[in-house]
Amino acid sequence: MKTQIESAAQGIVTKEMRHVALEEGVDAHIIRRGVANGEVVIMSHQHPIGIGRGLRTKINANIGTSSVAVDPELEVQKAIIAVKYGADTISDLSMGGDIVRIRRSVLQAVPVPLTTVPVYQTVAEHGSFRPITQEDIIETIRKQVREGVNSVVIHAGLTLKMLSMLREAQRVMGMVSKGGSLTSAWMIEHESENPFLERFDEILEILRARDTVLSLGNAMRSGCIHDIRDDPQSLEIRANAELADRANRMGVQAIIEGMGGHVWIGDIEKYVKYHKKIIDNRPLFVAGPLPIDVAVGYDHIAACVGASIASGAGADYLCYITPSEHLALPNLDQVREGTIAFRIAAHIGDSLKYGPSARDLELAKMRRRRDWKGQFELALDGERAREIHPQAKGCTMCGEYCALELMDRYLGVDL
Amino acid sequence: MKTQIESAAQGIVTKEMRHVALEEGVDAHIIRRGVANGEVVIMSHQHPIGIGRGLRTKINANIGTSSVAVDPELEVQKAIIAVKYGADTISDLSMGGDIVRIRRSVLQAVPVPLTTVPVYQTVAEHGSFRPITQEDIIETIRKQVREGVNSVVIHAGLTLKMLSMLREAQRVMGMVSKGGSLTSAWMIEHESENPFLERFDEILEILRARDTVLSLGNAMRSGCIHDIRDDPQSLEIRANAELADRANRMGVQAIIEGMGGHVWIGDIEKYVKYHKKIIDNRPLFVAGPLPIDVAVGYDHIAACVGASIASGAGADYLCYITPSEHLALPNLDQVREGTIAFRIAAHIGDSLKYGPSARDLELAKMRRRRDWKGQFELALDGERAREIHPQAKGCTMCGEYCALELMDRYLGVDL
């Protein structure tokens, strides 16, 4: 089997490329060219989706158990809710309970691509770092790929040198990436270089076999807005850019995580543009970013601001933040809130990338006509809009003194 | 009695200026200079607050009944909730029920300044436009000022010429300002020029007598992101700039509303900067702006993005948007959500205006130490954060695999 990038490089337009082209309203040859030069990746579970330059900004929803919160059925429900409200992909980050079974249930429950962070499962199954061998780490990736996950996150850009630099760095928050910290803990415990980096070619072979997308994790992202970009972070960005290039040359599609975490509002646009340049316009995956630290309980709203600016500046793929970020695993309502907040961010970002959308225009026309049904159909979450709108009374905001009605009556402007 | 701007012009530092200086951490002479040149206004109800250049961005919460939703006690509760969660001012926009009584209850219930839009009461009391005389309009302002409202909004910048231009303008949404449309309807019904403009000097006398702040309304703001800045809008901005100048010269403090409504994301920063320039850096009051139209039911989140950018670019004062915008009057929960969303926007805007805040740094330090109590105290809404955080289990997000704990253990970075 050829991977999408191998086909693209040979000038072949696959059925997946045609599907993505149709969905995005872009010519299939442009999709092929994007895939060939690594600017676009295509992930397929029940349907293919495209992520990258020139395409609609995509959003990912994280679900999954932790060691202290295990309810497999709830995680499946979270995945279903996230997809219902517009998540383009799901990441199952489970570290508690029967991880394989949870993943299988999620894969069956939702049609969208599924991502994992294999080191989570490896560590959860062993319970500590010492007994884990490099081979265990590779074997988890092999198994997960065989099970059909569509993308795996590995923190291969991280090195012992960066860890020693991090010890010296003047950071308030140190390292806040969970996958990064698990990988680091293994490296320190084993006094060994990064296992994902040492076995990188072997991992690429595993991924290429099923066209599983490589996602290069961002261990060194900042954990508060006062932690500014420092040497470990810059080094990891460059390392990941090189690894993505190696992956592409081996026929493996790659996404690069970066620029996420907590970033001062004045730096977001600049950092995204810089990062996209360093990675040769490959797909940039961003968590948040959060432009302030004090919005605890409402981090989905603060992150929506950061993610709107990030996607407008060129980020292709956003990882949602829910109201429970920094506090707890999200419940179903919080998954819904986080998903919608990031649909809003992606829509704002896209309206900057591609101009105001036709959907906004249509909704405005419905609003002008007081066509409530039409507005609910065009809203990102029409169900919520319907709940708030008091059907019997019309809009209670202005009652009989509706500006729109007054203007129609007095100015008689044509609709 | 001298107004703040009259005192400032004479070089007098009032006790209100000293209070604002203390609150803002700015020298009192700088406040005096700002008030003197019209860049800062001071509104006082139980305590004075400053709004304008160099000060913390302020937020306003709208409350009030409509002709079809009248529950006076609920409106008082809304005002209390809004202030509890951080509203700096309240606007009572009641058009239903006993408006005077509602306003009195609100004034008694909250310590922050209260704003009204007098034309609402005039129209609500008469029920139609024809019987309302210019004198009725002036008399409402006189009464409200005597009752102790701290600021009144009048749409004095609007002219018959702009209305005739609006008829020709290619707008989807026409005019969406309620105060603007009520004023317009009166003008059209009476075939008369703007009553607030014709009696402007008399109104200034009324306001000067009690140092009531003039807020110049923004009738021509756009109602959807496809309605771009057009001639009526530009003319109104310039007209309001001149009126503010007249007010200041008459010893009346002035705020100018503008740039609110629905604005394409790529235009917000530019428009705010342009508007601040046109109005000689006088205080700019912005509603929203909403950068997309499809976030119905979540307009507080979309507007938080617009308001963050607007305040970062120089807007001094933000009018909140709640989740019920475009659908209904807000309930108490929605008032809380809208207020917090705008506290977030103001905080993001201020972190762009003045750099990352010490409060964010302190919160990050508490987070690093897993000091939950400390985090809740520093959060914008610690109560909500506490509700989400499962006290018994610690943070369920990572459970025993907390990145921060792992890093402390393995990297041993000093706190």
Side-chain angles (χ1 to χ4, degrees):
Chain A
M1 188 193 86
K2 274 195 210 102
T3 63
Q4 293 295 322
I5 191 170
E6 287 170 330
S7 298
Q10 292 167 23
I12 300 165
V13 175
T14 62
K15 69 174 192 307
E16 288 82 1
M17 294 172 204
R18 280 194 301 271
H19 184 103
V20 169
L22 208 65
E23 288 264 304
E24 303 277 346
V26 173
D27 190 277
H29 290 281
I30 291 176
I31 302 293
R32 186 206 59 75
R33 198 175 57 200
V35 173
N37 63 24
E39 292 180 359
V40 168
V41 303
I42 295 180
M43 275 195 230
S44 299
H45 179 205
Q46 290 181 25
H47 313 287
I49 66 152
I51 299 171
R53 203 183 188 194
L55 309 184
R56 188 173 56 78
T57 302
K58 303 301 182 298
I59 65 168
N60 173 72
N62 287 342
I63 61 149
T65 59
S66 71
S67 62
V68 295
V70 182
D71 180 347
E73 182 46 33
L74 180 64
E75 297 310 323
V76 171
Q77 288 307 315
K78 285 184 197 172
I80 291 170
I81 288 276
V83 171
K84 175 177 174 185
Y85 291 105
D88 297 290
T89 64
I90 298 289
S91 292
D92 179 5
L93 306 184
S94 289
M95 286 195 79
D98 186 341
I99 296 172
V100 175
R101 200 163 159 181
I102 294 166
R103 187 162 54 234
R104 195 177 302 138
S105 311
V106 173
L107 268 168
Q108 282 168 359
V110 296
V112 304
L114 188 75
T115 295
T116 57
V117 189
V119 74
Y120 285 15
Q121 183 178 347
T122 317
V123 172
E125 285 179 350
H126 288 82
S128 66
F129 299 97
R130 181 118 303 274
I132 299 172
T133 63
Q134 256 195 14
E135 192 48 38
D136 293 329
I137 291 171
I138 303 300
E139 187 54 26
T140 312
I141 298 176
R142 201 176 280 125
K143 280 184 188 160
Q144 293 195 1
V145 165
R146 236 183 273 134
E147 284 173 38
V149 309
N150 308 102
S151 161
V152 293
V153 180
I154 61 174
H155 297 76
L158 187 66
T159 59
L160 283 172
K161 185 182 163 202
M162 291 175 206
L163 289 179
S164 109
M165 289 167 81
L166 185 64
R167 274 199 190 89
E168 306 306 317
Q170 301 296 311
R171 288 189 175 195
V172 176
M173 292 297 293
M175 187 189 290
V176 295
S177 155
K178 192 167 156 190
S181 71
L182 296 173
T183 304
S184 304
W186 187 91
M187 289 160 66
I188 294 166
E189 189 82 68
H190 289 257
E191 293 173 48
S192 159
E193 202 33 279
N194 187 322
F196 300 105
L197 184 60
E198 296 210 319
R199 307 281 286 262
F200 194 63
D201 286 333
E202 202 175 333
I203 293 169
L204 291 181
E205 276 305 327
I206 296 168
L207 301 183
R208 194 168 64 97
R210 300 186 64 130
D211 204 359
T212 310
V213 172
L214 171 68
S215 187
L216 289 155
N218 179 213
M220 291 297 183
R221 66 173 177 264
S222 52
C224 71
I225 61 166
H226 282 81
D227 283 345
I228 55 176
R229 194 169 55 196
D230 53 14
D231 290 344
Q233 203 175 349
S234 300
L235 272 181
E236 190 192 26
I237 290 172
R238 289 175 184 278
N240 277 338
E242 282 173 32
L243 292 172
D245 191 54
R246 266 172 74 184
N248 285 175
R249 282 189 279 110
M250 289 276 288
V252 173
Q253 304 189 90
I255 287 168
I256 297 167
E257 280 186 25
M259 252 302 300
H262 302 233
V263 184
W264 177 58
I265 186 80
D267 283 335
I268 295 174
E269 182 184 348
K270 188 175 65 185
Y271 281 10
V272 166
K273 288 182 171 167
Y274 165 83
H275 207 153
K276 280 290 282 187
K277 195 176 143 199
I278 297 287
I279 62 177
D280 293 319
N281 286 312
R282 288 193 172 79
L284 180 63
F285 183 44
V286 166
L290 278 162
I292 55 173
D293 299 326
V294 295
V296 198
Y298 301 82
D299 274 338
H300 63 307
I301 297 182
C304 175
V305 178
S308 296
I309 295 171
S311 55
D316 307 286
Y317 185 26
L318 307 172
C319 187
Y320 85 169
I321 302 288
T322 79
S324 76
E325 183 73 20
H326 300 113
L327 295 168
L329 284 180
N331 62 25
L332 294 177
D333 267 352
Q334 289 157 348
V335 166
R336 177 181 179 173
E337 294 288 321
T339 305
I340 293 288
F342 273 69
R343 288 277 285 136
I344 291 171
H347 193 84
I348 294 174
D350 283 344
S351 79
L352 193 59
K353 282 177 180 160
Y354 310 121
S357 81
R359 183 169 172 177
D360 288 284
L361 180 57
E362 284 313 302
L363 191 136
K365 287 179 180 169
M366 297 297 172
R367 181 169 281 157
R368 175 69 193 266
R369 293 186 195 124
R370 274 81 76 199
D371 177 338
W372 295 100
K373 197 160 156 278
Q375 290 176 62
F376 300 151
E377 273 163 19
L378 288 159
L380 292 179
D381 179 0
E383 212 175 294
R384 172 68 53 89
R386 212 180 282 270
E387 282 160 23
I388 298 174
H389 183 68
Q391 307 289 335
K393 293 185 180 178
C395 177
T396 50
M397 204 152 200
C398 302
E400 62 191 273
Y401 300 106
C402 170
L404 295 174
E405 282 176 18
L406 284 173
M407 281 304 95
D408 285 349
R409 194 175 342 142
Y410 285 96
L411 280 180
V413 182
D414 280 347
L415 290 184
Chain B
M1 188 193 88
K2 276 195 210 103
T3 64
Q4 294 295 322
I5 191 170
E6 286 170 331
S7 298
Q10 292 168 22
I12 301 164
V13 175
T14 63
K15 69 175 194 305
E16 289 82 2
M17 294 173 203
R18 280 195 301 270
H19 184 104
V20 169
L22 207 66
E23 288 264 302
E24 303 277 345
V26 173
D27 189 277
H29 289 281
I30 291 176
I31 301 294
R32 187 206 57 78
R33 198 175 57 201
V35 173
N37 63 24
E39 292 180 358
V40 168
V41 304
I42 295 180
M43 275 195 230
S44 299
H45 178 204
Q46 290 182 23
H47 313 288
I49 67 153
I51 299 172
R53 202 181 188 194
L55 309 185
R56 189 172 56 77
T57 302
K58 303 302 183 299
I59 65 169
N60 172 72
N62 287 341
I63 61 150
T65 58
S66 71
S67 62
V68 295
V70 182
D71 180 346
E73 183 46 34
L74 180 65
E75 298 310 324
V76 172
Q77 288 307 315
K78 284 184 198 172
I80 291 169
I81 289 275
V83 172
K84 175 177 174 185
Y85 291 106
D88 297 290
T89 63
I90 299 289
S91 292
D92 179 4
L93 306 183
S94 290
M95 286 194 80
D98 185 341
I99 296 172
V100 176
R101 200 163 157 179
I102 294 167
R103 187 163 53 235
R104 195 176 303 138
S105 311
V106 174
L107 268 168
Q108 281 168 0
V110 296
V112 305
L114 187 76
T115 295
T116 57
V117 189
V119 73
Y120 285 16
Q121 181 178 349
T122 317
V123 172
E125 285 178 349
H126 288 83
S128 66
F129 299 96
R130 179 120 302 277
I132 300 172
T133 63
Q134 257 194 14
E135 192 47 38
D136 293 329
I137 291 171
I138 302 301
E139 186 54 26
T140 312
I141 298 176
R142 199 175 283 125
K143 280 185 188 160
Q144 293 195 1
V145 166
R146 236 182 275 134
E147 284 173 38
V149 308
N150 309 101
S151 160
V152 293
V153 180
I154 61 174
H155 297 75
L158 187 67
T159 59
L160 283 172
K161 184 182 163 202
M162 291 175 206
L163 288 179
S164 107
M165 289 167 81
L166 185 65
R167 275 199 189 88
E168 307 305 318
Q170 301 295 310
R171 288 189 175 194
V172 176
M173 292 298 291
M175 187 190 290
V176 295
S177 154
K178 193 166 155 192
S181 72
L182 296 173
T183 304
S184 304
W186 187 91
M187 289 160 67
I188 294 167
E189 189 82 68
H190 289 257
E191 294 174 47
S192 158
E193 201 37 276
N194 188 322
F196 300 105
L197 184 59
E198 297 210 318
R199 306 281 286 263
F200 194 63
D201 286 332
E202 202 175 332
I203 293 170
L204 291 181
E205 277 305 326
I206 296 169
L207 301 183
R208 194 167 65 96
R210 300 186 65 128
D211 204 359
T212 310
V213 172
L214 170 69
S215 187
L216 289 155
N218 179 213
M220 291 297 183
R221 66 172 178 265
S222 52
C224 71
I225 60 166
H226 282 80
D227 283 345
I228 55 176
R229 194 169 55 196
D230 54 14
D231 291 344
Q233 202 173 348
S234 301
L235 273 181
E236 191 192 27
I237 289 172
R238 287 174 186 279
N240 278 338
E242 282 173 33
L243 293 172
D245 190 54
R246 268 173 72 184
N248 284 175
R249 281 188 282 111
M250 289 276 288
V252 173
Q253 305 189 88
I255 287 168
I256 296 167
E257 280 186 27
M259 252 302 300
H262 301 235
V263 183
W264 176 59
I265 186 81
D267 283 335
I268 295 174
E269 183 184 347
K270 187 175 64 185
Y271 281 10
V272 167
K273 288 183 171 166
Y274 164 83
H275 207 151
K276 280 290 283 188
K277 195 176 142 199
I278 296 289
I279 63 177
D280 292 319
N281 286 313
R282 289 193 172 79
L284 180 62
F285 182 44
V286 166
L290 279 162
I292 54 173
D293 299 326
V294 295
V296 198
Y298 300 83
D299 274 338
H300 63 308
I301 298 181
C304 176
V305 178
S308 296
I309 295 171
S311 55
D316 306 285
Y317 185 27
L318 307 171
C319 187
Y320 85 168
I321 302 289
T322 80
S324 76
E325 182 72 21
H326 299 113
L327 295 168
L329 284 180
N331 61 27
L332 294 178
D333 268 351
Q334 290 157 349
V335 167
R336 176 182 178 172
E337 295 288 322
T339 304
I340 293 288
F342 273 69
R343 287 277 285 136
I344 291 172
H347 193 83
I348 294 174
D350 282 343
S351 79
L352 193 59
K353 280 177 181 162
Y354 310 120
S357 81
R359 184 170 171 175
D360 288 283
L361 180 58
E362 284 313 302
L363 191 135
K365 287 179 181 169
M366 298 295 173
R367 181 169 280 155
R368 175 68 192 268
R369 293 186 194 124
R370 274 82 74 200
D371 178 337
W372 296 100
K373 197 161 157 278
Q375 289 175 63
F376 300 151
E377 273 163 19
L378 288 159
L380 292 179
D381 178 1
E383 212 177 294
R384 171 68 51 89
R386 211 181 282 270
E387 281 160 25
I388 297 175
H389 182 68
Q391 307 288 337
K393 293 185 180 179
C395 177
T396 50
M397 205 154 198
C398 302
E400 62 192 275
Y401 300 106
C402 171
L404 295 174
E405 282 177 18
L406 285 172
M407 280 304 95
D408 284 349
R409 194 177 337 145
Y410 285 96
L411 280 181
V413 182
D414 279 346
L415 289 184

